[in-house]
mmCIF file of all heavy atoms in Angstrom:
data_model
loop_
_atom_site.group_PDB
_atom_site.id
_atom_site.type_symbol
_atom_site.label_atom_id
_atom_site.label_comp_id
_atom_site.label_asym_id
_atom_site.label_seq_id
_atom_site.Cartn_x
_atom_site.Cartn_y
_atom_site.Cartn_z
ATOM 1 N N SER M 830 -33.923 6.024 -43.723
ATOM 2 C CA SER M 830 -35.304 6.091 -44.227
ATOM 3 C C SER M 830 -35.622 7.505 -44.430
ATOM 4 O O SER M 830 -35.458 8.331 -43.543
ATOM 5 C CB SER M 830 -36.193 5.352 -43.109
ATOM 6 O OG SER M 830 -37.611 5.597 -43.383
ATOM 7 N N TRP M 1012 -30.210 6.203 -33.404
ATOM 8 C CA TRP M 1012 -30.945 6.844 -34.490
ATOM 9 C C TRP M 1012 -31.057 8.413 -34.218
ATOM 10 O O TRP M 1012 -30.947 8.856 -33.140
ATOM 11 C CB TRP M 1012 -32.368 6.267 -34.593
ATOM 12 C CG TRP M 1012 -33.214 6.476 -33.439
ATOM 13 C CD1 TRP M 1012 -33.272 5.662 -32.345
ATOM 14 C CD2 TRP M 1012 -34.144 7.553 -33.203
ATOM 15 N NE1 TRP M 1012 -34.213 6.105 -31.394
ATOM 16 C CE2 TRP M 1012 -34.771 7.265 -31.964
ATOM 17 C CE3 TRP M 1012 -34.556 8.668 -33.914
ATOM 18 C CZ2 TRP M 1012 -35.738 8.191 -31.449
ATOM 19 C CZ3 TRP M 1012 -35.461 9.455 -33.408
ATOM 20 C CH2 TRP M 1012 -36.116 9.261 -32.121
ATOM 21 N N THR M 1014 -33.439 11.624 -36.264
ATOM 22 C CA THR M 1014 -34.344 12.069 -37.271
ATOM 23 C C THR M 1014 -34.077 13.591 -37.530
ATOM 24 O O THR M 1014 -34.163 14.370 -36.639
ATOM 25 C CB THR M 1014 -35.860 11.804 -36.866
ATOM 26 O OG1 THR M 1014 -36.071 10.492 -36.739
ATOM 27 C CG2 THR M 1014 -36.790 12.363 -38.007
ATOM 28 N N ARG M 1016 -35.278 16.950 -39.471
ATOM 29 C CA ARG M 1016 -36.405 17.572 -40.154
ATOM 30 C C ARG M 1016 -36.187 19.077 -39.931
ATOM 31 O O ARG M 1016 -35.374 19.545 -39.150
ATOM 32 C CB ARG M 1016 -37.749 17.007 -39.546
ATOM 33 C CG ARG M 1016 -37.970 17.340 -38.134
ATOM 34 C CD ARG M 1016 -39.317 16.788 -37.704
ATOM 35 N NE ARG M 1016 -39.328 15.403 -37.218
ATOM 36 C CZ ARG M 1016 -40.142 14.523 -37.746
ATOM 37 N NH1 ARG M 1016 -41.054 14.722 -38.640
ATOM 38 N NH2 ARG M 1016 -40.084 13.283 -37.204
ATOM 39 N N THR M 1044 -34.319 9.938 -41.506
ATOM 40 C CA THR M 1044 -33.839 9.273 -40.274
ATOM 41 C C THR M 1044 -32.627 8.416 -40.647
ATOM 42 O O THR M 1044 -32.606 7.770 -41.750
ATOM 43 C CB THR M 1044 -34.956 8.319 -39.672
ATOM 44 O OG1 THR M 1044 -35.930 9.220 -39.176
ATOM 45 C CG2 THR M 1044 -34.348 7.517 -38.525
ATOM 46 N N GLU M 1064 -35.095 -3.598 -28.296
ATOM 47 C CA GLU M 1064 -36.071 -2.708 -29.029
ATOM 48 C C GLU M 1064 -36.007 -2.835 -30.540
ATOM 49 O O GLU M 1064 -34.920 -2.942 -31.113
ATOM 50 C CB GLU M 1064 -35.789 -1.199 -28.693
ATOM 51 C CG GLU M 1064 -36.747 -0.299 -29.222
ATOM 52 C CD GLU M 1064 -36.394 1.210 -28.802
ATOM 53 O OE1 GLU M 1064 -35.383 1.456 -28.225
ATOM 54 O OE2 GLU M 1064 -37.167 2.108 -29.264
ATOM 55 N N TRP M 1065 -37.182 -2.835 -31.142
ATOM 56 C CA TRP M 1065 -37.237 -2.808 -32.622
ATOM 57 C C TRP M 1065 -38.092 -1.620 -33.089
ATOM 58 O O TRP M 1065 -38.999 -1.197 -32.328
ATOM 59 C CB TRP M 1065 -37.705 -4.095 -33.244
ATOM 60 C CG TRP M 1065 -39.079 -4.607 -32.786
ATOM 61 C CD1 TRP M 1065 -39.395 -5.547 -31.862
ATOM 62 C CD2 TRP M 1065 -40.404 -4.161 -33.269
ATOM 63 N NE1 TRP M 1065 -40.729 -5.704 -31.717
ATOM 64 C CE2 TRP M 1065 -41.377 -4.832 -32.596
ATOM 65 C CE3 TRP M 1065 -40.782 -3.266 -34.263
ATOM 66 C CZ2 TRP M 1065 -42.779 -4.675 -32.846
ATOM 67 C CZ3 TRP M 1065 -42.089 -3.044 -34.486
ATOM 68 C CH2 TRP M 1065 -43.084 -3.820 -33.702
ATOM 69 N N ARG M 1066 -37.720 -1.045 -34.146
ATOM 70 C CA ARG M 1066 -38.434 0.082 -34.762
ATOM 71 C C ARG M 1066 -38.592 -0.140 -36.251
ATOM 72 O O ARG M 1066 -37.706 -0.453 -36.947
ATOM 73 C CB ARG M 1066 -37.653 1.411 -34.494
ATOM 74 C CG ARG M 1066 -37.649 1.885 -33.081
ATOM 75 C CD ARG M 1066 -36.667 3.002 -32.840
ATOM 76 N NE ARG M 1066 -36.767 3.507 -31.453
ATOM 77 C CZ ARG M 1066 -37.435 4.664 -31.143
ATOM 78 N NH1 ARG M 1066 -37.942 5.408 -32.085
ATOM 79 N NH2 ARG M 1066 -37.556 4.998 -29.888
ATOM 80 N N LEU M 1067 -39.813 0.170 -36.685
ATOM 81 C CA LEU M 1067 -40.147 0.066 -38.114
ATOM 82 C C LEU M 1067 -40.194 1.514 -38.634
ATOM 83 O O LEU M 1067 -41.061 2.293 -38.154
ATOM 84 C CB LEU M 1067 -41.417 -0.676 -38.351
ATOM 85 C CG LEU M 1067 -41.719 -0.958 -39.822
ATOM 86 C CD1 LEU M 1067 -40.769 -1.992 -40.331
ATOM 87 C CD2 LEU M 1067 -43.130 -1.251 -40.070
ATOM 88 N N TRP M 1068 -39.438 1.827 -39.643
ATOM 89 C CA TRP M 1068 -39.344 3.207 -40.209
ATOM 90 C C TRP M 1068 -39.965 3.145 -41.608
ATOM 91 O O TRP M 1068 -39.757 2.196 -42.387
ATOM 92 C CB TRP M 1068 -37.932 3.686 -40.346
ATOM 93 C CG TRP M 1068 -37.184 3.708 -38.970
ATOM 94 C CD1 TRP M 1068 -36.438 2.668 -38.455
ATOM 95 C CD2 TRP M 1068 -37.114 4.780 -38.034
ATOM 96 N NE1 TRP M 1068 -35.944 3.038 -37.240
ATOM 97 C CE2 TRP M 1068 -36.411 4.285 -36.933
ATOM 98 C CE3 TRP M 1068 -37.762 6.072 -37.966
ATOM 99 C CZ2 TRP M 1068 -36.125 5.063 -35.851
ATOM 100 C CZ3 TRP M 1068 -37.452 6.801 -36.922
ATOM 101 C CH2 TRP M 1068 -36.722 6.372 -35.807
ATOM 102 N N ARG M 1069 -40.682 4.206 -41.898
ATOM 103 C CA ARG M 1069 -41.180 4.380 -43.344
ATOM 104 C C ARG M 1069 -41.160 5.858 -43.571
ATOM 105 O O ARG M 1069 -41.725 6.646 -42.756
ATOM 106 C CB ARG M 1069 -42.584 3.789 -43.460
ATOM 107 C CG ARG M 1069 -43.109 3.961 -44.884
ATOM 108 C CD ARG M 1069 -44.532 3.650 -45.043
ATOM 109 N NE ARG M 1069 -44.773 2.177 -45.340
ATOM 110 C CZ ARG M 1069 -45.725 1.466 -44.844
ATOM 111 N NH1 ARG M 1069 -46.670 2.022 -43.993
ATOM 112 N NH2 ARG M 1069 -45.903 0.190 -45.173
ATOM 113 N N GLU M 1070 -40.599 6.228 -44.725
ATOM 114 C CA GLU M 1070 -40.576 7.644 -45.138
ATOM 115 C C GLU M 1070 -40.020 8.520 -44.088
ATOM 116 O O GLU M 1070 -40.502 9.650 -43.788
ATOM 117 C CB GLU M 1070 -41.896 8.095 -45.604
ATOM 118 C CG GLU M 1070 -42.462 7.318 -46.806
ATOM 119 C CD GLU M 1070 -43.850 7.748 -47.312
ATOM 120 O OE1 GLU M 1070 -44.448 8.660 -46.687
ATOM 121 O OE2 GLU M 1070 -44.248 7.204 -48.357
ATOM 122 N N GLY M 1071 -39.037 7.987 -43.322
ATOM 123 C CA GLY M 1071 -38.356 8.848 -42.391
ATOM 124 C C GLY M 1071 -38.971 8.809 -40.939
ATOM 125 O O GLY M 1071 -38.380 9.256 -39.978
ATOM 126 N N GLU M 1072 -40.211 8.346 -40.917
ATOM 127 C CA GLU M 1072 -40.920 8.284 -39.565
ATOM 128 C C GLU M 1072 -40.943 6.921 -38.951
ATOM 129 O O GLU M 1072 -41.087 5.957 -39.718
ATOM 130 C CB GLU M 1072 -42.298 8.848 -39.780
ATOM 131 C CG GLU M 1072 -42.486 10.190 -40.437
ATOM 132 C CD GLU M 1072 -42.204 11.384 -39.469
ATOM 133 O OE1 GLU M 1072 -41.759 11.163 -38.306
ATOM 134 O OE2 GLU M 1072 -42.335 12.521 -39.920
ATOM 135 N N MET M 1073 -40.944 6.873 -37.681
ATOM 136 C CA MET M 1073 -41.159 5.556 -37.065
ATOM 137 C C MET M 1073 -42.634 5.257 -37.020
ATOM 138 O O MET M 1073 -43.419 6.063 -36.590
ATOM 139 C CB MET M 1073 -40.624 5.622 -35.538
ATOM 140 C CG MET M 1073 -40.670 4.235 -34.902
ATOM 141 S SD MET M 1073 -40.494 4.465 -33.169
ATOM 142 C CE MET M 1073 -42.132 5.117 -32.787
ATOM 143 N N ILE M 1074 -43.046 4.130 -37.570
ATOM 144 C CA ILE M 1074 -44.468 3.892 -37.747
ATOM 145 C C ILE M 1074 -44.894 2.794 -36.679
ATOM 146 O O ILE M 1074 -46.077 2.770 -36.241
ATOM 147 C CB ILE M 1074 -44.907 3.492 -39.122
ATOM 148 C CG1 ILE M 1074 -44.102 2.373 -39.707
ATOM 149 C CG2 ILE M 1074 -44.793 4.700 -40.022
ATOM 150 C CD1 ILE M 1074 -44.703 1.754 -40.970
ATOM 151 N N ILE M 1075 -44.046 1.878 -36.232
ATOM 152 C CA ILE M 1075 -44.388 0.968 -35.174
ATOM 153 C C ILE M 1075 -43.119 0.656 -34.375
ATOM 154 O O ILE M 1075 -42.057 0.606 -35.013
ATOM 155 C CB ILE M 1075 -44.885 -0.447 -35.728
ATOM 156 C CG1 ILE M 1075 -45.777 -0.350 -37.019
ATOM 157 C CG2 ILE M 1075 -45.584 -1.194 -34.602
ATOM 158 C CD1 ILE M 1075 -46.163 -1.683 -37.561
ATOM 159 N N ARG M 1076 -43.212 0.463 -33.149
ATOM 160 C CA ARG M 1076 -42.117 0.106 -32.375
ATOM 161 C C ARG M 1076 -42.528 -1.025 -31.321
ATOM 162 O O ARG M 1076 -43.675 -1.128 -31.060
ATOM 163 C CB ARG M 1076 -41.369 1.247 -31.657
ATOM 164 C CG ARG M 1076 -42.277 1.996 -30.703
ATOM 165 C CD ARG M 1076 -41.472 2.928 -29.885
ATOM 166 N NE ARG M 1076 -40.630 2.369 -28.863
ATOM 167 C CZ ARG M 1076 -40.172 2.896 -27.722
ATOM 168 N NH1 ARG M 1076 -40.413 4.162 -27.529
ATOM 169 N NH2 ARG M 1076 -39.449 2.224 -26.934
ATOM 170 N N GLY M 1077 -41.580 -1.738 -30.829
ATOM 171 C CA GLY M 1077 -41.868 -2.710 -29.806
ATOM 172 C C GLY M 1077 -40.581 -3.197 -29.199
ATOM 173 O O GLY M 1077 -39.523 -2.702 -29.489
#
Side-chain angles (χ1 to χ4, degrees):
Chain M
S830 168
W1012 62 273
T1014 299
R1016 63 178 87 232
T1044 292
E1064 184 180 0
W1065 58 262
R1066 287 171 175 256
L1067 187 75
W1068 302 92
R1069 179 189 273 145
E1070 299 182 354
E1072 304 283 5
M1073 187 195 68
I1074 56 169
I1075 324 177
R1076 62 172 286 203

